[in-house]
């Protein structure tokens, strides 16, 4: 009887532990999503041009969420930016130029809102968008080796930005900052490995 009770208790403990592990994994869905996006983007080898485009998208999403004034709008803008890139390619427009125009539009929208917005945060995001976009654009036009290093710098730099805003829990939701961190850091490391080996 004691042996059976012990086995039942052990079985219940294992089932509870498995549920706890499952809940923990589900709780880290943003990291899993970021890793899935990373895998998708490096399946055929990391690309400095694609990474540069991702840097522009990521910094634009932060800027847009700041301009709109709602954290969860960051996820909506990720979807909008992805659709904009696809539509730009289908219509013969330059996807990078499309994203830059969108970013400028969000910045203008935010500043026109006046007192309804955190202007200091919007200014920081506008400057960050300009800086990250400048790195990304430079990576798109320089020689391949320099492009690898510049795109890696931009991606790792934006991963640091993700950490700051994950800790602050401002501008974008933590889930977006977490997913973006996994993608940014992974792309940066992948490009450095290509450059070194």
């Amino acid at each position: 009887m004691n042996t059976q009770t012990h086995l039942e208790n052990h079985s219940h403990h294992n089932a509870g532990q498995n549920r706890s592990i499952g809940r923990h994994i589900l709780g880290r869905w943003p990291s899993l999503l970021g890793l899935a996006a990373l895998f998708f983007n490096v399946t055929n080898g990391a690309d400095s041009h694609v990474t540069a485009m991702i840097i522009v998208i990521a910094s634009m999403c932060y800027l847009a969420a700041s301009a709109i004034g709602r954290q969860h709008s960051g996820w909506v803008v990720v979807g909008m930016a992805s659709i904009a890139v696809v539509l730009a390619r289908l219509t013969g427009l330059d996807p990078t130029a499309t994203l830059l125009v969108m970013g400028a539009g969000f910045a203008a929208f935010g500043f026109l809102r006046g007192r309804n917005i955190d202007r200091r945060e919007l200014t920081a995001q506008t400057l960050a968008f300009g800086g990250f976009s400048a790195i990304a654009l430079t990576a798109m036009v320089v020689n391949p080796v320099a492009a690898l290093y510049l795109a890696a710098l931009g991606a790792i730099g934006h991963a640091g930005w993700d950490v700051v805003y994950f800790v602050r829990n401002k501008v974008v939701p933590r889930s977006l900052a977490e997913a973006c961190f996994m993608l940014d850091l992974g792309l940066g490391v992948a490009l450095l490995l290509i450059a070194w080996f």
Side-chain angles (χ1 to χ4, degrees), residues 73-140:
S73 63
W75 278 115
V76 175
V77 177
V78 169
M80 286 174 51
S82 302
I83 291 168
V85 168
V86 171
L87 289 176
R89 287 190 172 134
L90 289 174
T91 57
L93 294 172
D94 184 325
T96 308
T98 302
L99 293 171
L100 293 174
V101 169
M102 285 176 69
F106 280 119
F109 169 74
F111 284 113
L112 288 173
R113 293 186 63 198
R115 295 184 167 198
N116 297 326
I117 202 74
D118 182 342
R119 292 177 74 82
R120 281 184 11 171
E121 196 63 71
L122 179 60
T123 300
Q125 297 305 327
T126 301
L127 292 172
F129 175 70
F132 285 118
S133 294
I135 293 170
L137 290 171
T138 306
M140 291 179 180

Side-chain angles (χ1 to χ4, degrees), residues 19-94:
R19 279 194 298 273
S20 176
I21 291 169
R23 270 193 234 111
H24 179 73
I25 290 171
L26 286 176
R28 295 278 57 91
W29 68 265
S31 289
L32 296 173
L33 182 63
L35 288 172
L38 174 63
F39 179 76
F40 176 77
N41 282 287
V42 299
T43 301
N44 296 319
D47 181 286
S48 58
H49 189 87
V50 170
T51 300
M53 181 82 68
I54 290 170
I55 294 165
V56 175
I57 291 172
S59 57
M60 194 214 26
C61 290
Y62 275 76
L63 170 57
S66 177
I68 294 166
R70 294 200 173 139
Q71 282 182 288
H72 291 290
S73 63
W75 278 115
V76 175
V77 177
V78 169
M80 286 174 51
S82 302
I83 291 168
V85 168
V86 171
L87 289 176
R89 287 190 172 134
L90 289 174
T91 57
L93 294 172
D94 184 325

